Amino acid sequence: MADAYAPKPQHKFTFGLWTTANPGRDPFGEATRPALDPIANIRKMAEIGAWGFNFHDNDLIPFGESASERDKIVKNAKKAMKDTGIVCSMATTNLFSHPVFKDGAFTSNDAAVRAFALQKTMHAIDLGVELGAKIYVFWGGREGAEVDLAKDPIECMKRMREAMNFLTQYVKDQKYDLTFALEAKPNEPRGDIFLATTGNMLAFIETLEHREMVGVNPEYAHETMAGLNFTHHVAQAIEAGKLFHIDLNGQKMGRFDQDLRFGSEDLKGTLMLVRLIERSGYAGPRHFDAHAYRTEDAEGVWDFARGCMRTYLVLKEKARRIDEDKEIAAILKEINRGDAKLEKLSRSYSSENAKKLKDAKLDADALAGRKLPYERLDQLLNEVILGVR
Ligand code: DIG
Ligand code: MN
Ligand code: MN
């Protein structure tokens, strides 16, 4: 019988080359897995059912590689895509590994470093577009500080804006069909990273010249490590029409950025996220920006990747069960109390509506006494998760 939770291209699951090629190195230990050739990586992702792959420029083309070598690698990547049908769903720039970016890229205090970051990003955009990417992510891993006196936070906002305005204009000049997705993170590798949450990014986007080209790429682990509710951040991005991409993974609250397998922590929160994404009509990639445990061997990496996709599909089924459960529906109906007359008054301002609202007879004690059966509701949700409903 066909496996109901087998990934298919229409699910739009994607992985970054750096995720499945993560060698298990961490700040306290060397690699535990051999290097994975990027072309073999692309082919394996297709084999396990991923729809797309994405990459940082240097995940595919080593830093400083010759133009002829670059072209050879691109040709091999295109062949792998043609042979397997896998697409390039997103591209991004590595503006954090090379020491030149040790104090930031676009927010560096050194104008020559900022210029180098723009130069590197334009070449990386060209490369991503050449492979068919329609989304370009910016994660400012080094855009921050340990010594606040060293980096003027207002000046750094201006530098970020200057870079985004320059690069969106570059994309327009090149007539590329490309949108930008900005990814927030509160800290690590910098002591503090500027534009720390998706909320910061949404506000920043509104100050840009070509804000219509720019959205967000929220990451589950990044809001969660800051102790925030990731689903609420994604909801705000969706409501603003700015969810251009999403990085899915698992994370324990209050820890360093663990980038764990999707659904490996906080199943209830992850289920509410999948339900939000699926009900919202978001049509973009479901990107797993995560990696296998350091203890995993090369083969186990693909258990990690399969697990991300399978868990998403199981939770998508659980979300459907929630929305088909009659008792849950009845409670949700009971607690969402409308009032046509009052809503008409508060929906749009007029001096007449204001006067009527000010004079309205509203009994606070009676309103306070209205029943909210959240214990029962959450128990029903738990029972869907536990598989007894
Ligand atoms: C880390 O969460 C960042 C980098 O891996 C990359 O720039 C981005 C891509 O989604 N996520
Ligand atoms: Mn992360
Ligand atoms: Mn990410």
Side-chain angles (χ1 to χ4, degrees):
M1 193 176 92
D3 174 6
Y5 307 113
K8 297 185 180 67
Q10 64 261 34
H11 297 133
K12 291 189 132 179
F13 291 134
T14 67
F15 292 88
L17 289 179
W18 70 92
T19 67
T20 42
N22 178 295
R25 185 172 299 109
D26 67 21
F28 305 100
E30 289 313 312
T32 55
R33 296 184 284 266
L36 175 56
D37 170 79
I39 307 304
N41 196 358
I42 293 170
R43 289 180 181 276
K44 185 71 179 176
M45 285 182 192
E47 186 189 309
I48 66 164
W51 166 71
F53 75 94
N54 55 76
F55 69 106
H56 300 86
D57 47 350
N58 300 136
D59 298 331
L60 192 65
I61 314 292
F63 187 92
E65 189 60 271
S66 68
S68 59
E69 266 308 300
R70 173 213 180 276
D71 293 347
K72 232 185 271 174
I73 295 169
V74 168
K75 192 159 162 269
N76 291 338
K78 285 180 178 174
K79 180 156 184 347
M81 293 165 73
K82 188 164 177 290
D83 294 349
T84 63
I86 195 169
V87 301
C88 173
S89 54
M90 176 270 276
T92 183
T93 326
N94 186 322
L95 293 176
F96 45 85
S97 295
H98 193 287
V100 69
F101 299 123
K102 61 190 175 189
D103 190 27
F106 299 134
T107 66
S108 167
N109 283 333
D110 185 332
V113 172
R114 297 200 295 271
F116 180 67
L118 283 175
Q119 178 190 87
K120 189 173 195 283
T121 302
M122 285 189 280
H123 286 305
I125 287 174
D126 296 344
L127 174 62
V129 168
E130 186 175 348
L131 287 170
K134 295 275 187 288
I135 303 165
Y136 203 83
V137 161
F138 289 81
W139 171 63
R142 300 285 180 196
E143 310 297 4
E146 289 73 40
V147 180
D148 276 347
L149 178 59
K151 294 190 86 173
D152 176 338
I154 291 178
E155 183 52 37
C156 287
M157 285 301 108
K158 293 183 166 50
R159 291 173 185 165
M160 279 302 276
R161 182 176 307 112
E162 190 178 282
M164 286 299 122
N165 288 341
F166 188 95
L167 292 165
T168 46
Q169 190 56 52
Y170 174 70
V171 166
K172 289 168 81 72
D173 274 2
Q174 299 299 314
K175 298 191 176 24
Y176 288 155
D177 175 16
L178 196 67
T179 55
F180 287 179
L182 308 187
E183 179 175 344
K185 187 175 180 182
N187 58 65
E188 190 198 28
R190 296 309 299 262
D192 291 293
I193 296 180
F194 296 126
L195 298 166
T197 70
T198 297
N200 294 108
M201 288 297 188
L202 289 169
F204 175 68
I205 288 167
E206 291 315 304
T207 71
L208 300 178
E209 265 166 32
H210 303 297
R211 64 180 70 101
E212 72 289 349
M213 289 172 62
V214 187
V216 290
N217 174 45
E219 178 175 311
Y220 182 96
H222 297 177
E223 248 80 47
T224 303
M225 62 192 271
L228 300 170
N229 182 314
F230 181 65
T231 300
H232 291 177
H233 278 71
V234 175
Q236 184 178 355
I238 290 170
E239 203 276 336
K242 289 291 183 182
L243 185 69
F244 286 14
H245 195 264
I246 191 165
D247 277 3
L248 302 170
N249 50 27
Q251 176 71 29
K252 278 193 164 105
M253 210 165 253
R255 300 285 204 294
F256 64 92
D257 186 15
Q258 295 175 295
D259 292 339
L260 299 170
R261 184 181 79 258
F262 186 66
S264 58
E265 296 294 338
D266 183 13
L267 270 179
K268 187 186 289 185
T270 308
L271 169 55
M272 297 314 292
L273 171 65
V274 171
R275 181 170 178 264
L276 175 82
I277 292 169
E278 293 304 319
R279 285 159 59 99
S280 73
Y282 166 73
R286 275 74 170 156
H287 174 226
F288 298 108
D289 184 4
H291 55 74
Y293 301 127
R294 182 168 183 263
T295 42
E296 213 59 40
D297 65 12
E299 199 38 49
V301 162
W302 302 102
D303 290 335
F304 145 78
R306 288 187 191 94
C308 286
M309 298 187 285
R310 189 172 182 78
T311 298
Y312 189 102
L313 292 174
V314 173
L315 291 177
K316 186 174 167 185
E317 164 67 16
K318 293 288 182 186
R320 192 182 60 74
R321 280 171 185 264
I322 290 171
D323 291 328
E324 288 178 356
D325 188 296
K326 290 193 175 28
E327 198 174 341
I328 288 176
I331 293 176
L332 291 178
K333 190 164 181 289
E334 179 193 344
I335 60 177
N336 282 284
R337 296 176 174 90
D339 182 313
K341 198 160 144 279
L342 289 174
E343 285 172 295
K344 189 166 176 292
L345 290 180
S346 51
R347 191 167 292 130
S348 59
Y349 181 83
S350 70
S351 52
E352 191 194 342
N353 284 353
K355 184 169 180 336
K356 282 182 183 166
L357 215 40
K358 283 175 80 173
D359 298 343
K361 296 281 170 279
L362 298 168
D363 179 342
D365 293 334
L367 295 177
R370 286 179 164 180
K371 199 172 165 44
L372 293 171
Y374 290 174
E375 286 291 349
R376 180 69 187 139
L377 181 64
D378 190 62
Q379 178 62 25
L380 292 171
L381 172 57
N382 273 4
E383 292 185 12
V384 169
I385 293 170
L386 296 169
V388 295
R389 278 189 84 85

